[in-house]
Amino acid sequence: MASYILRRILATIPVVAFVMLFVFSLLYITPGDPAAILAGDQATQAEIEAIRTDLGLDRSFPVRFLEWSTGVLQGDFGTSIFTQLPVSTMIAQRVEPTLSLMVVTMVIAIAIAVPLGVLAAWKHGQFVDRAIMLFAVLGFSVPVFVIGYVLAWTLALKLGWLPVQGYTPFSEGPWPWLRSLLLPAFTLATFYIAIIARITRATMLEILQQDYIRTARGKGVSETSVLFVHALRNASVPIVTVVGIGIALVISGAVVIESVFALPGLGRLIVDSILRRDYPVIQAVILIFSFVYVLINLLIDLSYTVIDPRIRY
Amino acid sequence: MTDFPDDPHKFAAAKPMPAILAVPPQRSALLRSIRRHPTMWLGGILLGAVVLMAVFAPLIANQDPAALNPAQRVRPPSAEALFGTDMLGRDIFSRCVYGARVSLIVGLGVALLASAVGMVIGLVAGFTRWADGIIMRVMDGMMSIPAILLAIALMTLMRGGSIFNVILAITLAEIPRVARLTRSAVLSVRELAYVEAAVACGTSRLGIIRQHILPNTLAPITVQATYICASAMITEAILSFIGAGLPTSIPSWGNIMAEGRALWQVKPNIVFFPAIFLSLTVLAVNLLGDGLRDAVDPRLAKRV
């Protein structure tokens, strides 16, 4: 068990290393010379050369990669071309909205999707099931920013139930914070609900045909207990897996939805940085999102042994 | 538990009986197909309409989608500008009609390219044991960067949005998924008795791939390709929406929406019309994909 955990953690090292190599290569072959940009328009060739030597840009690819990655692992992502601030400072200012958005989204999605999937499997083939599956297909097909505009238009602009745009920090109280996040989080959650509900339904359908479910029903266990204790517990591994895979979609969605709802998070930062061609910031945000994704999936892999004690490595 | 939806006998019984009775065979086959896969037909018809719109865009669009008309800025929908005009006075209806071309080309291009390249990579990984580990680690690494971020990175790298660059960026992000699917299909077929028999008979490796492996992987990959097509359309729209995709000189549903972003609270028509086109097109492709999946593997139809 301990050796499995160790091996699984070690297995993420090549993945992380690949991601870093990939992102660094982008920085390396990006058009435009950072030294020339820093030196400004009036600089002579000699001045540019001096800055290049100063920054260490004249050294070879492996040397620069090693130096850059030790920096990254210590939280040093370089300096923004646009603001001249350390990238890590800019990112630290933007983490809270994005993190809040992701957490609220996940809570909403799981709380809605799992019961829906169980219900659809239980009422298999009936109207409720068809309605839920239709919703799932729609959730797949309508792009997240479209859902965002539709919900913002109806719930916020026309009905005035929720703030249209903007973010209230947690320090100003949990309720205003949650109110500012409900709309974007629910928007992001629709897609997530669709995939989690589909997997929950599919797994539950298979499990509800097992002998032990018939046994449980035969000995008079209540239907709620059969569904949520006997069946759902056994369906949890695929559900947890898809929750982990879906994080990638939440991240992708966050990049767009922060622009729609004017949330000052990492997604907004990367969109602004694209327009400013601020490559160090773009790369740092991509790296951080990828690290988060890898980390969450590592945790999910490790959680299997807790969820299902039959799993032994 | 009274019904067993996965019971193979039930499925066999539902198969049409030989048409001995004198019913016009072709017509009944069509009707039966529509009745059995109504959503697939709905998707097909919707998608057909979008394809026609894209092909005949110059005939349908009543104005030049790129024509600027500063005197007619941000007009509400009217008789001559059906969906209104944007901030530069361009006709949104005509732009939406032309936008279908971008979406379809990107969707189809990415689906074909990603499937082809991903299949080759998957076949190589599934067949050469020493390369398998390396290839799959690289694929894992690529998959651990969320697709949209990978596409953003590649778009900023390639500088300048042409349709080709957009297709390339999204394709690279989609390849690992196809490669994984192909590899797992290869691995599941590779050890089967009939493949072993073919090896024992001295069939060459290429022959085995062509005769035994490809037919078994083609069906799941075709289904996967439709989903890739749908997701590529969404990714293109997102890229153009956030300003990393196509410039507004090439109308795409994503960049039409981007134009309306600042004004959406007062002029929602700029955002909502392209959004409807995009959503319906993606829905059509997804419905088609679901139908295709059911046709390829009827067992899945009952479950997922």
Side-chain angles (χ1 to χ4, degrees), chain B residues 47-96:
Chain B
L47 193 65
V50 178
V51 171
L52 285 179
M53 188 172 84
V55 172
F56 296 109
L59 298 177
I60 298 168
N62 52 353
Q63 288 178 38
D64 178 358
L68 306 177
N69 190 354
Q72 297 285 321
R73 291 168 58 225
V74 222
R75 288 295 145 104
S78 64
E80 71 261 39
L82 284 174
F83 295 171
T85 62
D86 68 9
M87 279 153 93
L88 298 171
R90 290 173 296 197
D91 180 44
I92 294 173
F93 173 70
S94 305
R95 289 178 72 74
C96 283

Side-chain angles (χ1 to χ4, degrees), chain A residues 255-269:
Chain A
V255 171
V256 191
I257 231 57
E258 286 181 7
S259 288
V260 173
F261 289 100
L263 300 175
L266 288 173
R268 183 78 214 187
L269 181 64

